[in-house]
Amino acid sequence: MRTKFIAGNWKMNLTKTSSIELARAIAKAIPNNVDVGIAPPFVYIDAVASAISGSKLLLGAQDAYCEPSGAFTGDISPPMLKDLGVKFVLTGHSERRHILHEPPELVSRKALAIYTAGLTPIHCVGETLEERDSHQTLEVIRSQLEELKPTTITDPNRLVIAYEPVWAIGTGRTATDQQAQEVHHFIRDTMTKMWNRDFADRVRIQYGGSMKPENATSLLSQPDVDGGLIGGAALKSESFLAIVNAAARLSP
Ligand code: PEP
């Protein structure tokens, strides 16, 4: 049984004060039967860590570089994040792939460095509208999954995949329940081939792309949808907690 995992990606939003307020509001309302995480901007992570200390809320980061230390001006390493209490880090988010032009080799090195540092990569995969329309969705997803190396990543509890169709992120357009389930099932199948069935059955696969309180229950009811990666709706405690509570109602 996979525990549902709802994570909020705050992107480049909020202030130090509003980050602390939002984190506190979420931390005090987490149900026991779901995992919940937030990924604030780097500069607020330490303040948020203090604000939520002692709670069940998991702290995440939106990115990390692929080296532990050194002359990489402006970058932040996985061990530095670990030092602040971070547990998970996003890799391959579509905004980094498509706006910041991160190539697959860099995404791959980042994911492996994050895992090697003892953190959990939330590895984002997803097709553009053009790729969907030209029937390349599954091929794109497979190659993005292959950025992960089964010889390095061996603990299924320390890997999360987020299926985020690029055309659904921040657009208000959501994948249908069937579209999400079809790709999630394909992701599990591909992981079975890359690792094995037991490993694939344990990895949680989140859906991301305009998930909100109104569509969360039906998306989260799909058999291979194990949670959500939430952008816009994660910036207000009411909408984020409504999604968390939808996941809790579906969980034993
Ligand atoms: C995201 O950026 O990961 C995301 C899912 O954003 P939104 O929920 O705003 O579509």
Side-chain angles (χ1 to χ4, degrees):
M1 185 71 215
R2 297 178 293 266
T3 304
K4 292 216 188 295
F5 180 16
I6 307 293
N9 172 14
W10 291 359
K11 309 193 183 186
M12 200 172 70
N13 291 301
L14 304 176
T15 61
K16 185 173 170 186
T17 305
S18 59
S19 291
I20 292 170
E21 276 170 16
L22 179 56
R24 281 205 179 115
I26 295 166
K28 66 175 191 220
I30 302 180
N32 278 325
N33 55 352
V34 286
D35 289 337
V36 182
I38 49 169
F42 282 136
V43 288
Y44 303 142
I45 288 179
D46 205 19
V48 167
S50 306
I52 64 170
S53 129
S55 83
K56 237 188 111 223
L57 182 55
L58 300 167
L59 190 57
Q62 300 171 23
D63 184 35
Y65 195 57
C66 53
E67 296 289 344
S69 63
F72 303 102
T73 301
D75 264 313
I76 308 282
S77 76
M80 288 171 175
L81 295 169
K82 194 171 185 205
D83 196 23
L84 296 184
V86 163
K87 303 285 187 226
F88 68 88
V89 184
L90 307 186
T91 52
H93 190 280
S94 74
E95 285 148 19
R96 298 208 66 89
R97 290 184 192 272
H98 297 290
I99 302 176
L100 298 161
H101 305 292
E102 267 188 22
E105 304 70 45
L106 180 59
V107 173
S108 172
R109 289 180 63 202
K110 286 183 172 188
L112 301 179
I114 289 159
Y115 181 86
T116 304
L119 302 172
T120 297
I122 296 189
H123 189 65
C124 305
V125 299
E127 80 288 3
T128 62
L129 190 55
E130 208 184 0
E131 288 162 343
R132 174 160 283 267
D133 288 346
S134 56
H135 309 287
Q136 290 175 280
T137 299
L138 301 184
E139 212 175 298
V140 168
I141 304 294
R142 182 189 296 114
S143 81
Q144 292 172 338
L145 285 172
E146 283 170 356
E147 291 161 350
L148 303 168
K149 299 273 172 288
T151 44
T152 304
I153 298 181
T154 53
D155 179 356
N157 298 316
R158 261 204 309 116
L159 175 65
V160 175
I161 307 295
Y163 170 52
E164 300 209 303
V166 179
W167 47 270
I169 297 180
T171 58
R173 218 180 129 182
T174 316
T176 64
D177 303 340
Q178 288 94 322
Q179 283 171 327
Q181 171 56 25
E182 187 200 354
V183 178
H184 281 233
H185 186 264
F186 174 79
I187 290 172
R188 211 173 298 285
D189 231 44
T190 305
M191 286 195 295
T192 301
K193 290 180 188 124
M194 288 174 68
W195 282 270
N196 55 59
R197 168 139 305 259
D198 180 60
F199 185 98
D201 279 346
R202 287 165 190 248
V203 172
R204 289 174 296 178
I205 308 173
Q206 298 173 322
Y207 169 80
S210 299
M211 191 186 267
K212 37 192 183 258
E214 302 81 61
N215 58 28
T217 300
S218 63
L219 282 162
L220 292 168
S221 301
Q222 301 305 307
D224 286 295
V225 177
D226 308 314
L229 182 55
I230 322 295
L235 295 173
K236 293 250 169 359
S237 58
E238 299 74 23
S239 45
F240 187 66
L241 288 170
I243 297 171
V244 168
N245 288 327
R249 279 193 296 276
L250 294 166
S251 304

